[in-house]
Structure formats: structure tokens, C-alpha cells
Amino acid sequence: MTDIKFLATDFDGTLSSPQTDNLAAMLEFRHLLFRCRSSFQTRWAVITGRHVECLEELATELAMQGLCPDYLVMEDACIFKRHSGRYSSYWWWNFTVGRRRVKQLAAYRGRVQALLDETLVRYPGTENLAERRIMDFWLRFRNEADAAVVEQYLLKEFAGVREMFVFRWGREVCLAPTAGTKGEAVQKLAAEIGIGREGIVTIGDGQNDISMLDGSCASRPAAVANATPEVIATVKRAGGYLAEKPCVQGVVETLRTFTGWSR
Ligand SMILES: [Mg+2]
């Protein structure tokens, strides 16, 4: 057993799932967090792809379950630190993440706009969620099948393009600049707290978690059972832990395995 100095968990699909009632597992997770905190002084970050505008909503959602992470990381890389019960922005870091993304996107703006126009015509009733976001392509389709078709099409169109990545969450598909990843956010926080990768545990399930699960920033990455095949392959390659249980039950299983604490 080695100390867990820093724990980074994804939110949607990892701590939270609309399909299952996870109350008992959530209470167990909370208990393990308290134990980690008193044993190792563990800092905890929830790292999500949700937009910055959802910060208050997410903080409330967590607080209602008695959970107060030390950090909330929004849009994969924009950091907010809890201080006196509120979350304040790492504004310079967050500004530089945004600036890098705008720069990357600029090179592909014409191509992305053409794809967006074409997709909106082909799939009537699709909602455009990209307004005011640093990405031009973020759509919510009427059904998951359409979203999956467009996801596959975009993956082919942008194969080999390192500056852009394709991400699907249920009926939503987005095409976003790669600058500012979850892995970068973990590295930034680890450097600030002053801990090496051996003290870091990262847990996730989706495409945008790969940068913090590939072993580069954390020595102990883990995937919950409902993770995508690519995520599972990444964690396996990094020598991390593959939970047998999904979502927060998988998180609990992971923490019990890494700490050696049985029930
Ligand atoms: Mg997820």
C-alpha cells in the first residue's frame, strides 16, 4: 500500500450515472474519502468536461451528497479551488488554456463550420450547444444512433489531426481543440501541491479521461467497468487497475484495492 496524496475522479459516468441508484456506494465513497484524508492528507479533484457555467450546479450536486472536493476542474482543464466554502478560479491558468484552444481552433474553423452546417441540414431537430463555447461543433442529436453515425464520420474526417478530438456523450457529439487536457490539469495541481506521480490516483471512464489515465501523470490510473474499450486498453497498458464494478461502485472498489482497506 502506498499513500494516496492526490485523487482525481471524473464525474459523469464515473461518480455519477443516471441509470443506477448509487446512494449506498456514494456513502461508502464518502467514508473512504474521509479515511484517505485523515491517513494521507489526500486532496481530491473532480475533473469534468462540463462547461464552466455548470460549476455552481455541480458543486451543489456534490454538496447535497455531502461531498466537497478541494478542486473542481471544468471543461477538462479549467481549475477552481475551494476556499472558504466557495470555488475561485485559477484565472491566469484558465485564461491561457482558453487562448491555446482558440488558437488551435482557428486553423480548422472553415472545415468545422462546413461540417456543422452540413450536419444540421442532414439531421433536422438537432440542437446546437456550441454557442459561446470555445468549440464550434457541439450538437445534441434526437437519438443516440444518429449521434453515433456522426461520431464515426468525424473520427474518420479528423483521423491523424492532433489538434482536434471527437467526443460523444450519449446523444451529444463535440469536436474540440485538444489544448488543455485533464492530464495537464492533474500535472499542474500535482506540481503546485508538490507531489510526484507515485502519489496520484486517477479514475475515469471516457475518451476525455485518457490523458490522465495513460500513466504519464499518475502511477495508479484506474477505469470503472463501464469505461470505453479505448480507456480500458489505455489503463491496461499503463499497468493500472480495471474495476469489475461500474461507476461509483468501481471507484469504491479501486480505492479499497489501492489502500488495502477491506470492508
Ligand atoms: Mg465520464
Side-chain angles (χ1 to χ4, degrees), residues 3 5 33-34 40 66 77 119 145 172 177-178 182 195 204 213 215 249:
D3 294 5
K5 290 290 181 196
L33 264 182
F34 278 121
F40 317 122
T119 310
E172 291 176 25
T178 45
K182 293 192 180 192
I195 48 166
L213 300 176
Q249 292 160 284

Side-chain angles (χ1 to χ4, degrees), residues 10-14 167 169 182 204-206 208-209:
D10 167 48
F11 189 69
D12 294 294
T14 301
F167 182 67
W169 170 254
K182 293 192 180 192
D205 75 306
N208 61 341
D209 297 320

Side-chain angles (χ1 to χ4, degrees), residues 240-253:
Y241 183 71
L242 300 173
E244 284 171 16
K245 292 178 183 159
C247 304
V248 68
Q249 292 160 284
V251 174
V252 166
E253 180 192 326

Side-chain angles (χ1 to χ4, degrees), residues 110-141:
R111 196 165 155 196
V112 172
Q113 189 61 47
L115 277 167
L116 180 73
D117 295 343
E118 202 179 293
T119 310
L120 285 170
V121 169
R122 189 170 297 184
Y123 298 93
T126 299
E127 285 173 79
N128 187 354
L129 306 175
E131 289 164 279
R132 293 187 294 130
R133 265 69 164 171
I134 304 171
M135 61 175 95
D136 285 355
F137 194 107
W138 183 3
L139 301 176
R140 185 187 288 137
F141 291 86

Side-chain angles (χ1 to χ4, degrees), residues 39-99:
S39 303
F40 317 122
Q41 292 78 50
T42 308
R43 317 279 181 103
W44 173 38
V46 167
I47 307 196
T48 174
R50 287 195 194 185
H51 193 259
V52 166
E53 283 169 16
C54 306
L55 184 127
E56 290 295 324
E57 189 189 307
L58 179 62
T60 308
E61 209 173 321
L62 286 159
M64 281 171 72
Q65 307 190 62
L67 297 168
C68 301
D70 300 291
Y71 303 92
L72 282 179
V73 180
M74 310 298 291
E75 297 181 25
D76 295 341
C78 296
I79 301 173
F80 296 81
K81 183 180 184 177
R82 188 161 59 89
H83 181 69
S84 308
R86 294 184 66 88
Y87 287 93
S88 50
S89 174
Y90 275 32
W91 68 270
W92 177 251
W93 167 264
N94 296 348
F95 171 72
T96 56
V97 167
R99 205 172 51 174

Side-chain angles (χ1 to χ4, degrees), residues 3 5 10 16 90 100 106 109 154 173 180 210 231-232 238 243 251:
D3 294 5
K5 290 290 181 196
D10 167 48
S16 144
Y90 275 32
R100 281 190 292 141
R109 197 171 287 280
L154 291 176
V173 177
I210 286 178
V231 167
I232 289 172
V251 174

